[in-house]
Amino acid sequence: MSGKGLRLSRISDHGTGRTFIVPMDHSVTTGPLGAADHADATVRTLADAGANAVILHRGRVRHVDPTVFARTGLIVHLSAGTNRSMDLNAKILVTSVEDALRIGADAVSIHVNVGSPTEREQLADFGAVSRECELLGMPLLAMMYARGPLRADLPSDSGELAHLAAIATDLGADIVKLDYCGDPDEMRRVVESCPIPICVAGGPSTRDGDDHAIALGAEILTSGVAGLSFGRNVFEARDPFAVASALARLVHSPAPAIELESA
């Protein structure tokens, strides 16, 4: 098995081939997610609940007990931008694949806002990161979103999501994270168009409670995606352990799997 394939196996379930990822990279964008020990306590909870991996920024990893990563995978996020910026859709690289490898990451992730005024720069960064991942045997998760001043602030449809997935595939991602289009049949069309595994985002925290987040995950999974990437709907839940446990069970319940395989 290649180094990339070995690392991919650490962030997916050996039985189903699917993955449940909890991104926790939001603090650069919005500010603290909780108390000083929030990341350490939350990652422990998620590992206990069965999450396959968490996404953190490089510096935040230093504030998590490293022994917990024997039970859950570590994905280091390479992109950053804040909600105080004049361009809310701009993302820049703030660390490298080599840095992530040095601190023990199992994969890296990059955020690209297609339609942003800085789309060209973000795509160039994507290409550079993809090449570095190939050289170092590091899996790459591409978070692909349709954003920007020329786009109406509406949910992405299946055609738009398929285009985003195609960009991620063509530029060398191993996994792509997309928004949910709101309909499992339409989402299945996206899955059928894409040769790499798709993980679907949970979106903003739901005001309808923990049960709604679990029901949303169940609905999304009927489309045949390779996994879920739910952040705020997990760590901002009334009971993060219960929500994460339920989503992990749903992701890994017996069903046809879309394997996470390196190219």
Side-chain angles (χ1 to χ4, degrees):
M1 181 181 288
S2 68
K4 183 179 281 191
L6 179 61
R7 292 184 178 94
L8 280 168
S9 74
R10 295 174 185 158
I11 60 170
S12 62
D13 183 84
H14 294 287
T16 65
R18 292 189 292 273
T19 189
F20 171 42
I21 298 169
V22 181
M24 296 175 58
D25 55 289
H26 307 67
S27 51
V28 170
T29 303
T30 63
L33 303 181
D37 65 347
H38 178 271
D40 183 58
T42 303
V43 174
R44 288 174 182 272
T45 296
L46 296 171
D48 291 342
N52 294 105
V54 296
I55 300 177
L56 297 167
H57 280 285
R58 178 186 64 174
R60 189 67 61 175
V61 176
R62 297 202 300 263
H63 303 282
V64 176
D65 181 352
T67 63
V68 76
F69 294 116
R71 296 185 290 122
T72 194
L74 171 62
I75 302 173
V76 170
H77 197 43
L78 307 185
S79 304
T82 79
N83 62 4
R84 299 175 183 272
S85 172
M86 292 183 67
D87 179 3
L88 299 179
N89 295 309
K91 296 292 178 180
I92 62 167
L93 295 181
V94 291
T95 190
S96 68
V97 181
E98 186 177 2
D99 285 340
L101 189 65
R102 188 179 299 114
I103 64 175
D106 299 299
V108 295
S109 58
I110 186 170
H111 183 138
V112 176
N113 285 323
V114 174
S116 163
T118 60
E119 176 192 288
R120 288 194 296 179
E121 290 85 350
Q122 292 181 50
L123 290 176
D125 286 343
F126 188 164
V129 166
S130 178
R131 289 192 296 274
E132 192 177 4
C133 283
E134 287 299 318
L135 287 172
L136 297 175
M138 180 69 84
L140 174 58
L141 165 64
M143 303 180 182
M144 305 294 297
Y145 300 100
R147 303 284 190 270
L150 299 181
R151 183 183 180 278
D153 188 19
L154 297 171
S156 293
D157 61 26
S158 59
E160 189 169 58
L161 293 174
H163 188 184
L164 296 175
I167 295 169
T169 301
D170 289 340
L171 296 190
D174 300 286
I175 311 170
V176 59
K177 176 182 176 180
L178 301 171
D179 282 331
Y180 180 46
C181 65
D183 180 272
D185 290 334
E186 287 299 305
M187 199 71 209
R188 184 173 292 276
R189 293 177 184 272
V190 183
V191 173
E192 291 171 349
S193 77
C194 182
I196 64 174
I198 294 173
C199 286
V200 174
S205 297
T206 174
R207 296 182 179 181
D208 297 322
D210 294 2
D211 290 344
H212 179 79
I214 296 167
L216 176 64
E219 177 181 305
I220 291 169
L221 288 167
T222 65
S223 68
V225 297
L228 301 176
S229 181
F230 277 34
R232 287 168 289 183
N233 277 315
V234 174
F235 61 74
E236 291 182 354
R238 289 193 303 272
D239 188 339
F241 177 81
V243 174
S245 297
L247 291 172
R249 287 194 299 271
L250 286 168
V251 168
H252 301 308
S253 63
I258 298 175
E259 297 289 344
L260 298 181
E261 296 178 349
S262 61

